[in-house]
Amino acid sequence: MFILNENEPTELAAYLRENNWLEENETINSIAKPGEGNMNYVLRIVTTKHSFIIKQSRGYVEKYPQVLAPANRVLTEGAFYTKIAADFDVQAAMPKIIAIDEANNLILLEDLGKSNDFTFLYDLEEKIQEKELHQLVGYLNGLHQNFQKEIIDEELSNSAMRALNYEHIFEFPYRDDTGFDLNTVQKGLQEIAITYKNDVELKLKIESLGSLYLSKGKYLLHGDYYPGSWLKTENGIKIIDPEFCFYGLREFDLAVFIAHLYLTQQEKSKIAYIKNNYLYFSELNSEILNGFIGTEIMRRLIGLAQLPLKMDLETKANLLTFARTLILK
């Protein structure tokens, strides 16, 4: 198996040329990581003729090598990009797929150029703009409505990745045997979390929400629609990293979106904007939507997938109380 490595340019060039992704007289000018990815090993390749992104998945999470993950997950991401290419507007909001190498769990993507993701919102000092919300809501409208199925099948079921996500969203935050001390994140957080780890009523409801997450649905979801998956580019917002994609309940995508507006302390009017501009919002199940919002807030505050959140302990405690109310009401 070819192993992607930025420190081995000769081997990389040979691999690219062997697959006809480099022309005979084309050479690599630079190799660099486009950002700090969580799940996969990602490089930006700049050649004498163009640039592109190359991404490889391995049997573990790149940021947390101790966490096992499906080795071929990037192939599902590639299949997602291939499918959404059929819709001009959805495709325009994402990088184009260039090539897929199934044998080496690797894909080539369009380079979107100089960009930054929206994780700056976790500093709690900046607010998302309405025109940006317009693009973000518009993407979900197109994705959910234009690729929905009449008959539910196995396409893009992404079962292994959903099982991984299920553990981190619906199980890990509520276990007390993980060995993860939340006081290393913020002093006093572990003591606050114990209340929820021992909350039987809460855990039963979260278990039922987890079953809904694992169920099949007729709507194509991004699966991880949060600020780390939104890029601010010269050509507007672009959406990346659909490795957790699947056909399921559209409430899940929308809930993750809204949860991170709460986590980044956005104005209530921004959340109202989403509800007013998401197509067929009135058709959604509000109990499921609120439940998923609450579980996403909780897992980001007391789970393993921590955010670079500049938030004091009291505010986190209040958010956790709010999240519990959303889940149980």
Side-chain angles (χ1 to χ4, degrees):
M1 181 174 177
F2 171 75
I3 303 299
L4 193 60
N5 189 334
E6 66 175 320
N7 298 315
E8 297 180 354
T10 303
E11 291 80 355
L12 176 55
Y15 166 78
L16 294 171
R17 192 163 283 115
E18 181 182 345
N19 285 277
N20 297 316
W21 298 331
L22 276 188
E23 297 178 11
E24 197 61 38
N25 60 345
E26 186 179 7
T27 58
I28 296 176
N29 284 342
S30 66
I31 303 171
K33 291 183 178 179
E36 287 301 320
N38 289 336
M39 288 298 299
N40 303 305
Y41 192 84
V42 186
L43 296 176
R44 170 181 282 119
I45 311 297
V46 179
T47 76
T48 50
K49 295 192 174 183
H50 68 305
S51 65
F52 54 88
I53 300 297
I54 187 167
K55 175 184 286 194
Q56 186 175 51
S57 56
R58 295 151 188 189
Y60 53 86
V61 176
E62 201 65 37
K63 188 174 181 180
Y64 305 103
Q66 72 275 19
V67 179
L68 301 181
N72 63 349
R73 59 188 177 273
V74 79
L75 301 182
T76 302
E77 182 176 349
F80 178 95
Y81 282 122
T82 300
K83 186 170 186 67
I84 60 95
D87 185 277
F88 178 83
D89 290 332
V90 176
Q91 167 65 92
M94 304 191 81
K96 294 177 181 177
I97 186 76
I98 298 171
I100 300 175
D101 179 357
E102 294 187 6
N104 292 296
N105 296 330
L106 189 147
I107 62 174
L108 265 65
L109 295 168
E110 172 191 10
D111 183 6
L112 298 173
K114 185 178 180 181
S115 61
N116 295 298
D117 63 29
F118 276 74
T119 54
F120 64 82
L121 293 174
Y122 298 122
D123 286 339
L124 308 184
E125 295 179 355
E126 295 196 46
K127 300 300 180 184
I128 195 166
Q129 303 301 308
E130 187 172 300
K131 64 179 182 179
E132 294 169 332
L133 280 179
H134 178 75
Q135 294 176 66
L136 291 167
V137 176
Y139 171 82
L140 285 188
N141 282 335
L143 182 67
H144 292 172
Q145 299 308 314
N146 298 342
F147 294 96
Q148 65 177 294
K149 290 179 178 291
E150 294 300 321
I151 300 175
I152 297 172
D153 57 26
E154 293 296 324
E155 184 185 14
L156 291 174
S157 61
N158 210 3
S159 300
M161 284 294 280
R162 268 199 286 167
L164 175 67
N165 219 23
Y166 171 87
E167 181 180 3
H168 284 274
I169 298 174
F170 302 99
E171 288 188 344
F172 188 96
Y174 311 99
R175 287 165 40 192
D176 54 12
D177 60 347
T178 63
F180 180 44
D181 185 0
L182 286 162
N183 284 335
T184 62
V185 175
Q186 192 167 12
K187 188 175 181 180
L189 188 57
Q190 180 71 22
E191 288 68 32
I192 291 173
I194 288 172
T195 301
Y196 302 100
K197 293 176 184 289
N198 295 330
D199 191 328
V200 175
E201 182 185 11
L202 175 68
K203 290 164 75 172
L204 284 173
K205 186 57 186 284
I206 286 171
E207 184 178 349
S208 68
L209 288 165
S211 296
L212 290 171
Y213 170 75
L214 291 175
S215 66
K216 299 174 184 176
K218 64 179 183 178
Y219 297 99
L220 181 56
L221 309 185
H222 178 277
D224 197 20
Y225 204 63
Y226 85 116
S229 298
W230 314 334
L231 289 186
K232 187 190 288 275
T233 76
E234 294 178 353
N235 297 311
I237 294 177
K238 302 292 183 180
I239 311 303
I240 60 170
D241 294 343
E243 59 235 355
F244 286 102
C245 67
F246 66 102
Y247 270 95
L249 300 175
R250 51 189 168 171
E251 285 89 349
F252 183 76
D253 262 355
L254 206 65
V256 172
F257 185 9
I258 293 172
H260 286 265
L261 296 193
Y262 283 119
L263 285 163
T264 56
Q265 304 282 276
Q266 302 297 313
E267 302 97 332
K268 290 183 179 179
S269 61
K270 302 291 176 62
I271 295 166
Y273 181 91
I274 295 175
K275 296 178 179 180
N276 291 331
N277 288 275
Y278 179 78
L279 295 175
Y280 310 113
F281 184 85
S282 62
E283 295 180 5
L284 300 179
N285 184 308
S286 60
E287 181 181 350
I288 294 173
L289 176 65
N290 287 333
F292 282 150
I293 293 171
T295 55
E296 177 66 11
I297 291 172
M298 282 200 158
R299 77 104 163 200
R300 292 297 190 170
L301 294 179
I302 62 173
L304 180 62
Q306 290 287 316
L307 302 167
L309 197 57
K310 304 294 176 62
M311 182 179 285
D312 62 58
L313 195 62
E314 182 181 0
T315 304
K316 285 185 178 181
N318 291 336
L319 256 181
L320 286 165
T321 300
F322 171 65
R324 183 184 186 277
T325 301
L326 283 177
I327 293 167
L328 292 178
K329 79 175 185 180

